[in-house]
Amino acid sequence: MINDDEILRRIDERNHHRKKRWLLALSVIFVVFLVSVGIGVKIVSDKQQAERVEHTKMVKIVEEHKGEIEEWVREDDKHNFVKKITIDQSRTDHNPMGGVNFYGYVNGDESLGFNGTIGKGSSGIHVGSMGFRKKLSDNFALPSTEE
């Protein structure tokens, strides 16, 4: 016959084993969670690094063609209104149709903005198109391509 102390001891032993299993299961879940978070952080970090490298390449392309961009802007400047041209490198991005989009402004005034695309054509890489904000095109006496 089992006495009361033996029953209590067995119950305590069973409870102790259950607690150990739960602690082990929670530990495994926690480790899996930490590993998953670590992998996620690594993936995001690698993606951000790749985007920075890609952006740097696009900015370099725009800088290499800055003279051509300035020629396009000044070509429409019949009254010598443009004193300074600024390319906003932070807004340089990939064009979904291929090439690189760039944005800039003249005379230090962002409301006198322009944008364009540098792409690859049959004669190599060149400025493919340009557009001027209304305020800038008004100074050039051109029709506006953007509000």
Side-chain angles (χ1 to χ4, degrees):
M1 179 156 189
I2 300 176
N3 63 24
D4 290 343
D5 289 337
E6 181 64 23
I7 291 172
L8 290 176
R9 188 189 64 72
R10 287 182 182 177
I11 291 173
D12 282 345
E13 192 175 293
R14 232 183 273 142
N15 286 340
H16 180 71
H17 287 302
R18 274 191 203 137
K19 286 179 187 177
K20 282 175 103 177
R21 281 191 301 242
W22 272 106
L23 185 59
L24 179 63
L26 288 175
S27 297
V28 168
I29 290 169
F30 185 69
V31 167
V32 168
F33 173 76
L34 287 179
V35 168
S36 299
V37 168
I39 290 171
V41 167
K42 175 73 171 137
I43 289 169
V44 168
S45 176
D46 289 350
K47 183 178 179 189
Q48 288 174 340
Q49 177 64 23
E51 288 171 355
R52 281 191 295 270
V53 167
E54 187 67 23
H55 184 261
T56 301
K57 288 178 185 177
M58 290 185 292
V59 166
K60 183 179 178 191
I61 290 169
V62 171
E63 285 299 314
E64 289 171 353
H65 291 84
K66 188 173 182 179
E68 192 176 346
I69 294 168
E70 288 182 3
E71 285 178 28
W72 273 65
V73 172
R74 292 187 190 282
E75 182 178 303
D76 293 317
D77 183 16
K78 307 296 184 216
H79 308 291
N80 294 322
F81 170 75
V82 176
K83 305 299 180 224
K84 177 183 171 189
I85 295 174
T86 304
I87 304 293
D88 185 353
Q89 294 180 354
S90 68
R91 294 185 62 201
T92 299
D93 62 357
H94 182 265
N95 183 309
M97 298 298 288
V100 177
N101 292 330
F102 61 87
Y103 303 86
Y105 50 91
V106 300
N107 300 341
D109 184 350
E110 291 185 23
S111 69
L112 298 171
F114 61 88
N115 62 5
T117 302
I118 296 176
K120 191 172 188 177
S122 58
S123 60
I125 297 175
H126 62 281
V127 177
S129 64
M130 291 273 294
F132 302 107
R133 294 192 72 180
K134 182 176 181 345
K135 189 173 178 182
L136 181 58
S137 67
D138 287 348
N139 283 292
F140 291 169
L142 293 174
S144 174
T145 60
E146 171 185 338
E147 281 301 313

